[in-house]
């Protein structure tokens, strides 16, 4: 009973966040990313709130034991990160409840935080935004499946409507970096926060076995 109640609580929190905080975070996100790259404008789909609700909701949903995986949300999260690089200017509205009562102001206090990143202003165009979203979606796919080439093929065959050799090499670089970051963090020695660069297992996509077993497997290959 306790196990069931705990899983229901995780699902309830994730569902509540998607319903009332950021409805754009509902679902896998892949159809919406493909639709956006094919010319359909979807408002608030790549926003700051959708990113955090999607991230937290995915963790809660996977932790609850539901028959779901992080693959689709990883594509959406990667696309949001790619879209963020083309913003240049970003305004985030943070709302805080008024716990002092109506005599001290409105029910909610809103604080606006402005981010002005001038070095990213040159990417504020439809073409760059489309390319960055395609690259981010490919990087998220590669991180979810551990397949950098698969991420490039996903962007080429499923997501992007416009393709070029330059975009292909940029996408491949992003997917390789996402896989390297994933493996580096998964092999990190948590108590000491040390990264085992001298361990051959760092380049192995398998997370099973000890470091010596990974090393022998790589040497056999």
């Amino acid at each position: 009973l306790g196990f069931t109640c705990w899983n229901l609580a995780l699902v309830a929190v994730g569902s509540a966040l998607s319903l009332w905080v950021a409805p754009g975070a509902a679902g896998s996100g892949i159809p919406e990313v493909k639709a956006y790259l094919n010319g359909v404008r979807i408002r608030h789909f790549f926003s700051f709130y959708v990113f955090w609700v999607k991230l937290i909701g995915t963790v809660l949903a996977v932790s609850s034991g539901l028959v779901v995986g992080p693959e689709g949300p990883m594509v959406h999260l990667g696309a949001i990160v790619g879209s963020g690089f083309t913003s240049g200017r970003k305004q985030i509205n943070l709302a805080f409840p008024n716990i002092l009562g109506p005599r001290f102001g409105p029910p909610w206090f809103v604080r606006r935080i402005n981010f002005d990143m001038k070095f990213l202003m040159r990417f504020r165009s439809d073409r760059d935004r489309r390319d960055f979203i395609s690259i981010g979606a490919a990087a998220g796919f590669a991180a979810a499946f551990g397949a950098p080439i698969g991420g490039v093929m996903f962007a080429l065959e499923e997501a992007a409507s416009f393709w070029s050799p330059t975009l292909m090499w940029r996408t491949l670089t992003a997917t390789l970096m996402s896989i390297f970051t994933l493996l580096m963090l998964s092999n990190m020695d948590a108590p000491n926060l040390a990264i085992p660069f001298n361990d051959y297992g760092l380049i192995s996509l398998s997370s099973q076995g000890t470091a010596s077993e990974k090393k022998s497997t790589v040497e056999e290959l």
Side-chain angles (χ1 to χ4, degrees), residues 21-147:
V21 179
S28 68
I30 294 180
E32 289 82 359
V33 171
K34 294 167 63 176
Y36 186 90
L37 293 176
N38 281 273
V40 180
R41 184 183 179 185
I42 305 175
R43 293 179 58 85
H44 308 300
F45 185 67
F46 300 105
S47 67
F48 174 81
Y49 298 102
V50 171
F51 177 84
W52 287 108
V53 170
K54 191 81 169 188
L55 180 62
I56 297 173
T58 301
V59 173
L60 295 176
V62 175
S63 302
S64 65
L66 293 177
V67 189
V68 294
E71 290 80 11
M74 288 289 288
V75 173
H76 188 190
L77 291 172
I80 295 176
V81 173
S83 174
F85 282 105
T86 64
S87 298
R89 292 192 182 96
K90 190 69 175 178
Q91 183 182 80
I92 300 176
N93 297 324
L94 299 178
F96 303 95
N98 182 6
I99 61 176
L100 300 178
R103 300 176 60 182
F104 294 91
W108 292 86
F109 294 108
V110 178
R111 178 176 178 82
R112 294 179 173 85
I113 302 177
N114 297 315
F115 294 94
D116 191 1
M117 296 168 285
K118 296 182 179 179
F119 65 97
L120 295 177
M121 292 295 293
R122 59 177 179 173
F123 299 123
R124 287 178 60 88
S125 65
D126 291 337
R127 178 179 179 180
D128 288 330
R129 182 177 176 83
R130 183 179 64 241
D131 289 349
F132 271 87
I133 291 176
S134 300
I135 293 172
F141 185 94
F145 289 98

Side-chain angles (χ1 to χ4, degrees), residues 179-193:
I179 291 298
F180 177 78
T181 305
L182 173 66
L183 297 177
M184 182 178 64
L185 295 177
S186 63
N187 285 273
M188 180 180 293
D189 187 3
N192 301 322
L193 297 179

Side-chain angles (χ1 to χ4, degrees), residues 155-221:
L156 172 62
E157 296 178 357
E158 299 292 337
S161 298
F162 301 91
W163 198 256
S164 65
T166 303
L167 180 59
M168 181 188 68
W169 288 111
R170 290 174 178 174
T171 306
L172 180 60
T173 303
T175 55
L176 291 173
M177 290 301 299
S178 68
I179 291 298
F180 177 78
T181 305
L182 173 66
L183 297 177
M184 182 178 64
L185 295 177
S186 63
N187 285 273
M188 180 180 293
D189 187 3
N192 301 322
L193 297 179
I195 302 175
F197 284 111
N198 59 344
D199 182 12
Y200 293 121
L202 186 62
I203 62 174
S204 173
L205 294 179
S206 174
S207 59
Q208 304 294 330
T210 61
S212 60
E213 292 174 351
K214 293 179 182 179
K215 181 176 181 180
S216 62
T217 302
V218 174
E219 289 176 348
E220 290 173 1
L221 292 176

